[in-house]
């Protein structure tokens, strides 16, 4: 008998109530250059990325006695910023562990929100080692970036919003990294619109969840520099939530190249006037490259806009990186 998945539609609905008024309900825009394709603009969150949903739900789910000493996390940037924001709003100490691969603009954004930043190692996995030390040595409570039921449930509120605007989409294309976003969105979408295909999209350079799903178990993948830096990092060899959920709920996984991501970033800027990061553009990269056929009722989830200005300027000039 297959074990029940650790996050349910009821959990996601409870998360939506818990975070109401603390995160934005973001718009969905029809893409005038790709008929039938919709853009879910969650980069319009106050912290510039969807991560505010999961971080806020996880923090608000903790009992007061767990918050006294503070919270800690590892991040590729956006989750750390989200947790710092949620912790400041709640008056809680936050420590954010980042690797040396995290762009400087994202590091500074975390600091600007009052969190203590610790930079260590060359991968998110090494940053997570520092989290373990902080939990054991300082009594901080970990709020993981993805592999946690409350984080997944918070990200799943995006799925509820998508279905409010488009009740039966043909497909939802979700950026795939550690799997918190993909698992949460897929749970909501599959529960309410079972015929909708949910496809995880990642970059060709160091896509840990994609490699793990292909192997049938969590595996280590070397983290590499990529335009989709928010999708970097491992899923954890002892992953307990998102791997099983992604394996059970995703209909497909597609990988895209750096040139395809760059072209998609330019496309989204032309359509919206906004500068989104590479991780947010992977769905459009899959459509524009023909890796996924655009059909009416396709939703691309645009996850973040925290791209370094210099990087985006190079993209607009036609460079891939």
């Amino acid at each position: 008998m297959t074990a029940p998945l650790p996050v349910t539609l009821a959990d996601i609905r409870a998360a939506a109530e818990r975070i109401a008024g603390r995160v934005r309900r973001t718009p969905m825009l029809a893409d005038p250059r790709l008929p039938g394709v919709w853009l879910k603009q969650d980069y319009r969150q106050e912290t510039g990325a969807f991560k505010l949903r999961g971080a806020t739900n996880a923090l608000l789910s903790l009992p007061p006695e767990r918050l006294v000493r503070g919270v800690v996390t590892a991040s590729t940037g956006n989750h750390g910023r989200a947790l710092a924001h949620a912790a400041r709003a709640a008056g809680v100490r936050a420590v954010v562990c980042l690797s040396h691969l995290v762009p400087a603009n994202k590091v500074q954004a975390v600091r600007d929100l009052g969190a203590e930043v610790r930079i260590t190692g060359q991968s998110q996995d090494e940053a997570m080692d520092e989290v373990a030390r902080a939990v054991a040595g300082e009594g901080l409570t970990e709020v993981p970036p993805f592999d946690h039921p409350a984080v997944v449930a918070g990200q799943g509120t995006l799925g509820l919003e998508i279905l409010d605007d488009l009740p039966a989409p043909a497909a939802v294309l979700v950026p795939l990294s550690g799997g918190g976003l993909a698992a949460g969105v897929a749970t909501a979408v599959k529960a309410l619109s079972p015929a909708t295909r949910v496809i995880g999209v990642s970059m060709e350079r160091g896509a840990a969840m994609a490699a793990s799903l292909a192997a049938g178990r969590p595996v280590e993948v070397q983290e590499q520099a990529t335009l989709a830096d928010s999708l970097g990092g491992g899923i954890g060899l002892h992953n307990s939530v998102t791997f099983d959920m992604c394996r059970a709920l995703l209909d497909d996984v597609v990988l895209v190249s750096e040139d395809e991501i760059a072209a998609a970033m330019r496309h989204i800027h032309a359509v919206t006037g906004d500068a989104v990061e590479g991780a947010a553009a992977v769905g459009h990269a899959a459509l524009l490259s023909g890796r996924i056929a655009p059909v009416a009722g396709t939703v691309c989830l645009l996850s973040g806009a925290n791209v370094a200005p210099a990087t985006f300027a190079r993209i607009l000039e036609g460079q891939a990186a």
Side-chain angles (χ1 to χ4, degrees), residues 177-270:
S177 179
L181 177 61
V185 169
T187 297
V189 170
K190 290 295 187 180
L192 297 171
S193 181
T196 299
R197 286 173 54 79
V198 181
I199 301 172
V201 188
S202 198
M203 67 289 181
E204 293 177 344
R205 294 182 178 177
M209 181 61 81
S212 297
L213 292 172
R217 69 187 193 286
V219 296
E220 290 184 349
V221 173
Q222 182 177 359
E223 194 168 344
Q224 301 179 48
T226 171
L227 284 175
D229 55 88
S230 293
L231 303 185
I235 70 166
L237 294 182
H238 301 291
N239 185 292
S240 61
V241 177
T242 60
F243 174 76
D244 286 339
M245 294 188 72
C246 287
R247 180 168 57 177
L249 296 170
L250 293 182
D251 293 289
D252 199 2
V253 173
V254 172
L255 303 182
V256 293
S257 72
E258 298 298 299
D259 284 341
E260 289 162 352
I261 294 170
M265 293 169 72
R266 290 190 289 270
H267 173 99
I268 293 166
H269 180 261

Side-chain angles (χ1 to χ4, degrees), residues 63-72 91-95 116 118 134-142:
E65 59 269 21
R66 297 282 302 279
L67 296 174
V68 172
R69 293 189 179 181
V71 294
V72 62
V92 173
R93 176 192 178 200
V95 175
E116 177 187 337
R118 298 180 185 177
V135 170
E138 302 172 49
L140 301 179
T141 295
E142 182 183 3

